[in-house]
Amino acid sequence: MASMPRRATQPTTSRATARPALSRERVVTAAMELADRDGLDALSMRRLGGILGVDPMSLYNHVRDKDDLLDAMADTAVAGIAPSPGEGHWTERLRSTILSARATMLRHPWAPRLIEQRDRPGPATLRYFDTVIGILMDGGLAIDLTHHALHLLGSRVIGFNQDLFDDRSEAARDPAVIALMASQLADSHPYVARMAGTVSHEGGLGGCDDDVEFTFALDLILEGLDRRHRAG
Amino acid sequence: MASMPRRATQPTTSRATARPALSRERVVTAAMELADRDGLDALSMRRLGGILGVDPMSLYNHVRDKDDLLDAMADTAVAGIAPSPGEGHWTERLRSTILSARATMLRHPWAPRLIEQRDRPGPATLRYFDTVIGILMDGGLAIDLTHHALHLLGSRVIGFNQDLFDDRSEAARDPAVIALMASQLADSHPYVARMAGTVSHEGGLGGCDDDVEFTFALDLILEGLDRRHRAG
DNA sequence: ACCTGAACACCGTTCAAGT
DNA sequence: ACCTGAACACCGTTCAAGT
């Protein structure tokens, strides 16, 4: 972001509003900002054109189609992940890499779901995977175990725990709603009710995809992998 | 499905085509069949109306809006999961429950992604979760560990390993494409290339969300949970 | 080379009208 | 009570035209 070339605006028209020439980079950046602000569903080619002060069709000069734009957004997000440490045990290196990825993904809440929907990885994503696979193999893991590890980690490898229900909705975070739900559920769903009533490390059922859950899962997985590695 | 009431068609018109009265059940079933056949993206209210031989707007008499329909589809899919065994060690009971869920989800490839997008669980899903939580708690796990387990399992609790890239696309399954990719990648991405060239338990990089990967991950997770449980 | 606007083939959904 | 069709406010994208 900071290294983005800040080309001088060339006012070929007498228009008061400075409007730098469109570019693929500018289109992608604007799309990411829109998604950061209003979510992925709010991203339409027409709205994006409006934000950039340009006819929606002009976007197609820099982007093949919407899918191409989404590919670029996903890959640019991954490109923002901080580089991995070169030293240490493979579990430590992987752990710290994944936590860096997580920090990036928290800045772009739309990214994990988007990456999951892409058909193939972009260049930055491929580079990231090469780093991760390198950590595993340089750590001495057999190629089969390395492969298993990638599937096992799933979306967690880019720092995201894909929870089954979206607990970031308003309702799911409202303690009153949760309490009501818990009491209504008590008869028919005793176990769910008990868990909903007891667990609340951030205010109830909601807000659970937090660092505690993530690191618990990550550490359990790394430990299991290391155990299998050492068992041969 | 087999227990679906087979009400007699009441031909109130002289139309040759038998057209049983619309009902919520018929709408949801048709939507699921459409999604099974053509994917979730192909499901539109207008197409669904066309399939049912009815004005698209008629659907709204049985379904609040499209979101309501999607909720019903997700919950109906979960309702198809076979009941859990009542006996055995909690790891065995959970394992067999999750593998049943997996069998169901394989019949409805659209279901996992849809369930992930829902804001809250439907009645069948709530019942399923009550079963799962019950297995964990009756197994003696502390409530906190039970809670961790749910987040750790993530989408795997309903039998689905949400892979980071969709390897069910045509390209990803084509051995020629994979071989080409591997050779092109060799220089810039040595580790990815090596893994792509070596691993092929079903013909290359594609087709990896299979039973082998799923059970490897599930067993590692169950083992780690049991270890933490026994450690207190 | 880049941008534009009209047009096409779709969406989900509201609303007033039918039976 | 249920179904219908026109209409509204959106989509992504093609294509011919502008500069």
Side-chain angles (χ1 to χ4, degrees), chain A residues 2-215:
Chain A
S3 65
M4 197 163 70
R6 202 96 204 105
R7 83 171 62 79
T9 65
Q10 310 168 28
T12 50
T13 76
S14 59
R15 197 87 68 82
T17 59
R19 240 195 0 173
L22 224 50
S23 69
R24 176 171 244 262
E25 189 188 0
R26 241 167 66 77
V27 170
V28 174
T29 302
M32 291 176 73
E33 285 168 359
L34 175 55
D36 285 345
R37 198 169 354 103
D38 299 337
L40 207 53
D41 287 343
L43 172 63
S44 77
M45 299 302 273
R46 295 166 114 108
R47 267 194 73 174
L48 187 56
I51 286 170
L52 286 165
V54 110
D55 187 284
M57 286 309 104
S58 300
L59 303 174
Y60 287 82
N61 288 308
H62 305 93
V63 132
R64 195 162 12 84
D65 51 19
K66 192 177 182 182
D67 233 50
D68 184 33
L69 172 60
L70 295 174
D71 279 340
M73 293 170 66
D75 203 53
T76 304
V78 173
I81 300 175
S84 295
E87 301 285 311
H89 193 254
W90 70 267
T91 53
E92 288 303 326
R93 294 179 68 200
L94 187 54
R95 199 183 124 99
S96 120
T97 300
I98 288 177
L99 290 181
S100 290
R102 177 166 172 78
T104 297
M105 292 303 145
L106 287 177
R107 286 200 301 273
H108 302 300
W110 44 267
R113 184 154 295 174
L114 186 54
I115 293 170
E116 271 179 359
Q117 286 167 351
R118 299 298 84 198
D119 277 343
R120 54 179 156 280
T125 308
L126 222 42
R127 219 178 307 126
Y128 180 73
F129 271 90
D130 205 61
T131 303
V132 168
I133 298 172
I135 291 174
L136 292 164
M137 292 185 55
D138 287 349
L141 268 69
I143 203 160
D144 279 357
L145 188 55
T146 300
H147 181 236
H148 284 324
L150 283 186
H151 282 287
L152 171 58
L153 285 165
S155 59
R156 258 184 279 253
V157 82
I158 52 161
F160 186 72
N161 181 18
Q162 185 65 289
D163 269 314
L164 215 38
F165 292 98
D166 191 353
D167 54 11
R168 279 162 315 194
S169 71
E170 337 67 63
R173 303 193 82 90
D174 184 343
V177 169
I178 293 161
L180 178 70
M181 203 169 123
S183 73
Q184 283 179 338
L185 258 45
D187 297 335
S188 47
H189 306 274
Y191 294 106
V192 170
R194 201 164 140 203
M195 209 181 78
T198 319
V199 176
S200 67
H201 49 81
E202 206 165 287
L205 262 182
C208 290
D209 182 16
D210 55 12
D211 293 337
V212 174
E213 297 301 335
F214 189 83
T215 53

Side-chain angles (χ1 to χ4, degrees), chain B residues 94-136:
Chain B
L94 187 53
R95 199 183 123 99
S96 118
T97 300
I98 288 178
L99 290 181
S100 291
R102 177 167 174 77
T104 298
M105 291 305 145
L106 287 177
R107 284 199 302 271
H108 301 301
W110 45 267
R113 183 154 295 173
L114 186 55
I115 294 171
E116 271 179 359
Q117 286 167 352
R118 300 295 86 199
D119 278 343
R120 53 178 158 281
T125 308
L126 222 42
R127 219 177 308 126
Y128 180 73
F129 271 90
D130 206 60
T131 304
V132 168
I133 298 172
I135 291 174
L136 291 164

